[in-house]
Amino acid sequence: MKNVVLARIDDRLIHGQVITAWIKTIKAQSILIIDEALSNNIMIQRIYKASAPTNIELVIKTPADAVEWLNEDNPRGNDVIILVKTPERLEELVDQGINIKKIILGGMGSNNTRKQFVKNVFANDDEVGCMKRLIDHGVEMVFQWVPDDKPIDLLKIMK
């Protein structure tokens, strides 16, 4: 089984903060992006793969394929960063036995179903409910833009 060292919710997936801050701090060897649409778009996948550092393996999977990939043997002991756009993807992993100890909430943009949740992060009722279930399952959840920022415990926000 792969060793998940960071799970991050950020609808931008790979971007400057992930590349310049999180990867350097976490020192993972692989990034797993879980996204149904992206997994079927070869052209956008090439753009994402070109933006990743050359020493990092970038894997893009559907939610179903991600579970299988994460459960594969990990003989080199590679550490993995998981990137998703919404908390539901991570709840699916946890429900299927993937060990995620901590989730960092990054950016979730505004749309017509979401309201402000914390700072400039927006979430709808289903997404907030999903985050509550993850916390109830024993997963630590924090809001944190970059590693140097002080994490904000989401449990305290949801009380």
Side-chain angles (χ1 to χ4, degrees), residues 93-154:
L93 296 179
V94 169
D95 287 347
Q96 294 186 54
I98 301 299
N99 186 20
I100 298 175
K101 295 178 181 93
K102 182 177 182 177
I103 297 171
I104 296 177
L105 177 61
M108 289 174 52
S110 175
N111 66 31
N112 60 353
T113 67
R114 289 177 171 169
K115 58 186 176 202
Q116 187 174 16
F117 177 64
V118 58
K119 299 203 177 205
N120 54 350
V121 174
F122 296 80
N124 62 38
D125 291 340
D126 291 338
E127 292 164 334
V128 171
C130 180
M131 289 186 262
K132 286 179 182 176
R133 289 188 301 275
L134 283 162
I135 291 168
D136 290 344
H137 202 281
V139 178
E140 178 187 2
M141 288 196 73
V142 299
F143 167 76
Q144 189 176 15
W145 279 119
V146 294
D148 291 340
D149 289 345
K150 181 179 180 188
I152 298 171
D153 187 344
L154 293 187

Side-chain angles (χ1 to χ4, degrees), residues 44-111:
I44 300 298
Q45 284 185 36
R46 287 181 182 150
I47 293 169
Y48 273 78
K49 288 181 179 186
S51 69
T54 56
N55 62 328
I56 301 289
E57 173 190 32
L58 179 63
V59 179
I60 300 169
K61 298 284 186 186
T62 65
D65 291 341
V67 172
E68 184 178 320
W69 186 83
L70 286 164
N71 279 318
E72 289 175 359
D73 286 340
N74 190 16
R76 295 181 306 187
N78 283 1
D79 292 336
V80 178
I81 294 173
I82 297 176
L83 301 176
V84 298
K85 291 181 179 179
T86 63
E88 289 86 354
R89 297 290 77 83
L90 295 174
E91 184 178 36
E92 291 167 1
L93 296 179
V94 169
D95 287 347
Q96 294 186 54
I98 301 299
N99 186 20
I100 298 175
K101 295 178 181 93
K102 182 177 182 177
I103 297 171
I104 296 177
L105 177 61
M108 289 174 52
S110 175
N111 66 31

Side-chain angles (χ1 to χ4, degrees), residues 17-33:
Q17 291 170 347
V18 170
I19 298 300
T20 61
W22 289 107
I23 289 176
K24 288 179 182 176
T25 301
I26 301 300
K27 298 185 181 359
Q29 293 78 36
S30 301
I31 296 174
L32 170 62
I33 295 176

